[in-house]
Amino acid sequence: MTADAFRTTYGTGPEGVWAAPGRVNLIGEHTDYNDGFVMPFALPHTTVAAVARRADGRLRLHSASPDVDGGVVELHVDELEPGGGAGWADYPAGVVWALRDAGHVITGADIHFESTVPTGAGLSSSAALEVVTAVALNELYGLGLEPWRLARLCQRAENVYVGAPTGIMDQTASACCTEGHALWLDTRDLSQRQIPFDMAAQGLRLLVVDTRVTHAHSEGEYGKRRAGCEQAAAVLGVDALRDIPVDGLDAALEQLAGEPELLPLVRHVVTEDRRVERVVELLEAGDARAIGPVLTEGHASLRDDFRVSCPELDLVVSAGTGAGALGARMTGGGFGGSAIVLVEEAAAEKVAESVVAAFADAGYREPRVFTAVPSAGARRLS
Ligand code: GLA
């Protein structure tokens, strides 16, 4: 289908078709720019790209997404400059820029994209767009770059070319996740482990609730949190907040007594890293049910200490746990987007209905609820 749409757009066939998924983060939020731990898994929703190389330096990008203006965006690889200005096309163009800036030869491409990753839902549709571009060009141009390295280049595209100061989690999740697993990632040295996470086998389900709200100030607030964490690390004399061990937390908080803005940020990051370790221990012990309260505790920390939640996300958590969910938390950057809710298979429908009813009672737009199944990372389809 994607190949046919490529042919309709460009008049010839593609050389191949690739896919890269969106993600949800199970635990480890706002830790990735503090050199900490994260634990995302890939969704079955993907961005698919049909791609052919060009030798003349032209980069032509086309998206079937109803969210974007339908025309082909035409750029030239020699003229790509950070700052972009081409809207959605900045993400794939930024990847081409980052690859070339790292010394790789890319002489142009025609790309047609299609996506089932919900946009604006905090499920990393932009990382999927970047990573699918990177894996396709890596293969077609014979660059031989490993998935984690492609993720780094995609992060550079997002940080420098697009100008969003995000961490490394989303791109690594899209590039490196495997079916049936959550990805434990140390964002300092990018060491990783695939942790078996088969909820259905244990009679469980993880619901994703897309609140369908994005609060306008989210990007600025993200940057502020990041800057606050860096400032706190400087005050505490460490490279990153990851370096504060949990038994050093009290001493660190005492040192920050005169910094009421910074103190709760540190408390969140240090306790959140510990929660990631706890979830790994529980999953490895085969006790997936027991991660529920850890997820809910993580949400409280994001809401009260890190202050990146919003009423809609809080309502998913309170209505979900109130209706019998084992645990729930916002996932991703916050200020809207999605939350995850861990439920017994038998209670899934009731919990989902309770959350939807609570949204209706509050006068909020109806949320979108679906079941998350840990799926494969980026791959070639044909
Ligand atoms: C966004 C960013 C990630 C990460 C999360 C919060 O998804 O893209 O790098 O910082 O927020 O955990």
Side-chain angles (χ1 to χ4, degrees):
M1 192 177 97
T2 315
D4 289 344
F6 181 102
R7 224 168 264 117
T8 309
T9 305
Y10 297 114
T12 54
E15 292 182 88
V17 179
W18 287 260
R23 63 96 189 93
V24 292
N25 188 19
L26 184 60
I27 190 80
E29 217 65 85
H30 289 274
T31 47
D32 66 347
Y33 50 82
N34 290 297
D35 281 3
F37 308 125
V38 295
M39 214 172 151
F41 64 86
L43 288 170
H45 308 70
T46 57
T47 296
V48 175
V51 187
R53 283 168 292 179
R54 297 186 64 92
D56 61 0
R58 285 159 82 199
L59 176 63
R60 298 195 296 178
L61 305 167
H62 181 256
S63 168
S65 166
D67 298 342
V68 305
D69 178 7
V72 174
V73 177
E74 278 231 33
L75 301 163
H76 197 284
V77 294
D78 289 331
E79 291 162 9
L80 301 176
E81 288 284 350
W88 72 271
D90 281 346
Y91 294 93
V95 171
V96 174
W97 170 83
L99 285 166
R100 284 170 53 91
D101 197 56
H104 303 294
V105 177
I106 306 284
T107 56
D110 287 339
I111 314 184
H112 169 78
F113 297 98
E114 292 182 5
S115 187
T116 56
V117 186
T119 53
L123 300 174
S124 295
S125 59
S126 29
L129 188 52
E130 291 156 4
V131 170
V132 77
T133 305
V135 292
L137 295 177
N138 183 45
E139 198 172 329
L140 286 177
Y141 279 95
L143 307 180
L145 298 169
E146 293 166 81
W148 69 267
R149 200 176 281 284
L150 293 175
R152 263 281 184 246
L153 287 163
C154 290
Q155 183 198 14
R156 186 139 196 277
E158 185 140 352
N159 291 172
V160 181
Y161 194 90
V162 179
T166 55
I168 188 68
M169 170 170 70
D170 305 343
Q171 293 82 3
T172 310
S174 188
C176 301
C177 280
T178 58
E179 205 177 328
H181 296 87
L183 175 74
W184 175 87
L185 176 72
D186 179 337
T187 64
R188 170 161 279 168
D189 63 6
L190 299 191
S191 56
Q192 39 177 276
R193 274 163 59 203
Q194 302 287 345
I195 311 288
F197 188 47
D198 183 353
M199 287 165 290
Q202 302 196 40
L204 298 175
R205 250 210 242 183
L206 196 78
L207 303 175
V208 175
V209 181
D210 170 10
T211 63
R212 302 168 84 191
V213 293
T214 314
H215 290 281
H217 52 285
S218 61
E219 249 183 52
E221 291 294 327
Y222 184 97
K224 276 195 214 161
R225 297 300 181 284
R226 186 172 181 153
C229 289
E230 283 162 8
Q231 204 187 328
V235 173
L236 295 168
V238 291
D239 285 346
L241 294 183
R242 176 310 178 35
D243 296 312
I244 312 286
V246 79
D247 57 9
L249 180 59
D250 287 346
L253 297 182
E254 224 164 90
Q255 219 178 318
L256 290 169
E259 307 272 5
E261 290 288 313
L262 304 184
L263 187 149
L265 299 183
V266 173
R267 188 163 49 208
H268 168 72
V269 173
V270 175
T271 58
E272 184 78 352
D273 270 342
R274 179 66 198 117
R275 280 186 283 275
V276 177
E277 290 173 341
R278 184 85 191 112
V279 166
V280 172
E281 284 161 16
L282 290 167
L283 290 180
E284 288 189 329
D287 198 1
R289 277 180 181 73
I291 74 172
V294 188
L295 303 184
T296 310
E297 185 189 305
H299 183 77
S301 180
L302 288 160
R303 181 191 61 209
D304 303 336
D305 272 348
F306 218 69
R307 292 185 299 113
V308 290
S309 188
C310 64
E312 294 86 351
L313 289 167
D314 293 343
L315 186 59
V316 178
V317 173
S318 59
T321 52
L326 297 163
R329 61 181 286 274
M330 54 158 275
T331 186
F335 302 106
S338 299
I340 52 175
V341 185
L342 182 68
V343 289
E344 297 285 354
E345 174 67 53
E349 218 157 285
K350 180 180 146 235
V351 171
E353 279 167 15
S354 301
V355 171
V356 171
F359 267 57
D361 285 349
Y364 296 154
R365 192 170 168 201
E366 186 175 343
R368 195 181 300 134
V369 185
F370 63 90
T371 300
V373 179
S375 302
R379 62 212 178 262
R380 185 171 190 157
L381 297 182
S382 63

